[in-house]
Amino acid sequence: MKRHNFKFEKILKIKEDVESKIKLEYANVLQQKMRLQNENDYLLRSFLKDREKDIMSKTSGDKLIYSDIYFEAGFNSAVDIRVEKNNETISYLDAELAKIKERLTKATIEKKMFEKLKEKSLERFKKEVNQLEIKNTDEAGGVLTRNNMNAAGAQ
């Protein structure tokens, strides 16, 4: 029996590969963004926790040590700088994600188009095979009928 052969099968495979590579790229960028957001959350939580612990542990009349205040101010500044840098990177990654999403949409549309072509080609193929089977069945029926008539006429 005849086998279905889609002439654009290689192109469809290429489109599928392109789509999967873009999906992987999107996932990697999204993972970077989530990592930075988690880092910001952690820094801000730990900063607030440490600050609350330090401030709340002081009571009236406690000595304030200049080096502790200086260290805390430096730590606060470092946390702020790191969070700001992460936010800038997150903004850049958001723009990058939008570009990748657009490319992914185009790649998906192209792949779907070739999948539809393959589906239509398969339907045409099935229709042709069906018609061929009907034709062969009709021919076989005609030969049997003719053979039966010849056999009945010969008697």
Side-chain angles (χ1 to χ4, degrees):
M1 182 169 174
K2 213 163 107 173
R3 220 180 112 214
H4 178 251
N5 186 19
F6 181 56
K7 61 184 173 182
F8 298 118
E9 189 69 38
K10 288 182 181 179
I11 294 174
L12 178 60
K13 291 290 182 202
I14 290 169
K15 297 293 181 185
E16 289 172 347
D17 288 345
V18 167
E19 182 188 32
S20 65
K21 286 178 184 176
I22 294 172
K23 281 181 180 178
L24 184 62
E25 183 182 355
Y26 185 83
N28 287 335
V29 173
L30 186 61
Q31 187 176 26
Q32 288 176 351
K33 178 186 170 189
M34 296 305 294
R35 185 182 53 78
L36 290 174
Q37 286 175 335
N38 289 340
E39 182 180 345
N40 280 355
D41 290 345
Y42 173 76
L43 287 172
L44 293 174
R45 258 194 327 250
S46 65
F47 167 70
L48 290 174
K49 189 182 201 182
D50 289 344
R51 186 172 184 178
E52 184 178 298
K53 184 175 68 174
D54 288 343
I55 292 172
M56 295 304 191
S57 66
K58 304 289 184 201
T59 60
S60 178
D62 282 350
K63 291 182 182 178
L64 293 175
I65 302 170
Y66 177 74
S67 62
D68 290 345
I69 295 171
Y70 184 74
F71 176 77
E72 189 173 325
F75 178 75
N76 295 347
S77 175
V79 167
D80 288 342
I81 290 170
R82 182 64 184 194
V83 168
E84 185 60 35
K85 183 181 176 196
N86 285 351
N87 285 337
E88 289 173 6
T89 306
I90 288 170
S91 295
Y92 168 77
L93 291 175
D94 280 337
E96 192 68 25
L97 283 171
K99 290 177 189 174
I100 294 171
K101 199 175 222 179
E102 188 175 311
R103 287 182 24 231
L104 180 60
T105 302
K106 287 180 183 177
T108 303
I109 289 171
E110 289 177 3
K111 184 191 84 162
K112 294 252 186 227
M113 181 179 68
F114 279 96
E115 285 176 344
K116 287 275 189 194
L117 287 174
K118 182 177 182 177
E119 195 175 291
K120 287 180 180 179
S121 173
L122 182 62
E123 287 174 16
R124 276 195 309 269
F125 173 75
K126 286 180 180 179
K127 197 175 196 178
E128 289 173 10
V129 167
N130 217 4
Q131 289 174 347
L132 186 63
E133 287 177 356
I134 290 171
K135 179 182 171 189
N136 289 340
T137 304
D138 288 347
E139 286 178 4
V143 169
L144 283 175
T145 304
R146 205 169 333 127
N147 286 343
N148 287 341
M149 287 182 176
N150 288 341
Q155 290 177 354

